[in-house]
Amino acid sequence: DNPLPFSVVVSPDFMPVETYGMTATVDLNGYLLRTEILKHSKRELNIMENTNLSTAKSDEIVSVLGIDLLPFKKWQIALQYSESRLGENTWLGRKNVQTITSARVARAFVRDINFEIQLTSIAQDSSTLAQSILSVPISNQSEIRFGLDKFDGSETSSLGQYKNASRIWI
């Protein structure tokens, strides 16, 4: 056996995350208002130092506010706003403050055929993700699902960098 002149050994190092949080849901005459706040303490993040990949610890606070609207002609609509704030360090590939908005529309049709579409937007870099799913039961134990995942934005944006992962699937 000839050893290779160059080799890489990768060893996983799983660092626990300490998380505290609260969540609440309130029914306001059929409108569901949801909120959540989490604090991740000393979260380990990948960072770039000069040209080297490294890690650093940072606190992160995540807050979410969402509302499920009253059904309209069997259509269900939900809206959500979330914000993630990192402490001092910038995680590789994202800014310290990141806001995400999303909208989900769903409807059940005859014979338990379900349709769902979700639009997600990251405001800081104008990137988006559009996803849709059509579920068609073929028996009482199985279904066939048709879907679309479409990433968009600049090549360096959070979601736009995955444009080549856009797909139609069954």
Side-chain angles (χ1 to χ4, degrees):
D1 290 326
N2 286 340
L4 295 173
F6 175 76
S7 63
V8 175
V9 176
V10 178
S11 300
D13 183 17
F14 300 102
M15 303 304 288
V17 176
E18 195 174 295
T19 301
Y20 305 94
M22 293 186 326
T23 184
T25 301
V26 178
D27 184 340
L28 302 172
N29 296 323
Y31 293 90
L32 292 180
L33 184 63
R34 305 172 193 274
T35 186
E36 182 175 323
I37 188 164
L38 298 171
K39 180 179 181 187
H40 303 293
S41 296
K42 300 179 184 120
R43 182 175 175 196
E44 193 164 299
L45 307 168
N46 294 322
I47 62 170
M48 288 296 289
E49 289 183 326
N50 300 322
T51 58
N52 297 321
L53 181 62
S54 183
T55 60
K57 291 186 179 183
S58 179
D59 291 343
E60 179 186 26
I61 295 176
V62 178
S63 53
V64 179
L65 180 62
I67 187 166
D68 294 0
L69 304 178
L70 291 170
F72 177 73
K73 297 185 179 183
K74 297 186 181 181
W75 288 94
Q76 296 175 325
I77 300 171
L79 307 170
Q80 182 173 291
Y81 170 86
S82 66
E83 180 178 276
S84 167
R85 290 182 173 270
L86 292 175
E88 306 258 334
N89 298 307
T90 302
W91 180 50
L92 184 63
R94 78 156 259 204
K95 298 181 186 304
N96 278 5
V97 176
Q98 185 177 60
T99 58
I100 300 173
T101 55
S102 64
R104 179 183 171 271
V105 177
R107 186 172 195 272
F109 294 95
V110 295
R111 297 188 192 109
D112 293 325
I113 295 173
N114 290 298
F115 173 75
E116 177 181 333
I117 186 165
Q118 182 165 318
L119 303 172
T120 302
S121 175
I122 297 179
Q124 283 71 24
D125 58 16
S126 302
S127 62
T128 59
L129 170 60
Q131 298 173 290
S132 65
I133 298 174
L134 177 66
S135 302
V136 181
I138 53 177
S139 74
N140 60 354
Q141 294 184 352
S142 58
E143 66 184 6
I144 189 165
R145 299 178 95 190
F146 304 90
L148 165 73
D149 300 315
K150 173 77 170 98
F151 296 88
D152 201 14
S154 73
E155 296 295 325
T156 58
S157 66
S158 301
L159 297 170
Q161 65 183 323
Y162 301 113
K163 279 183 184 179
N164 290 339
S166 295
R167 60 195 168 265
I168 295 174
W169 51 269
I170 297 176

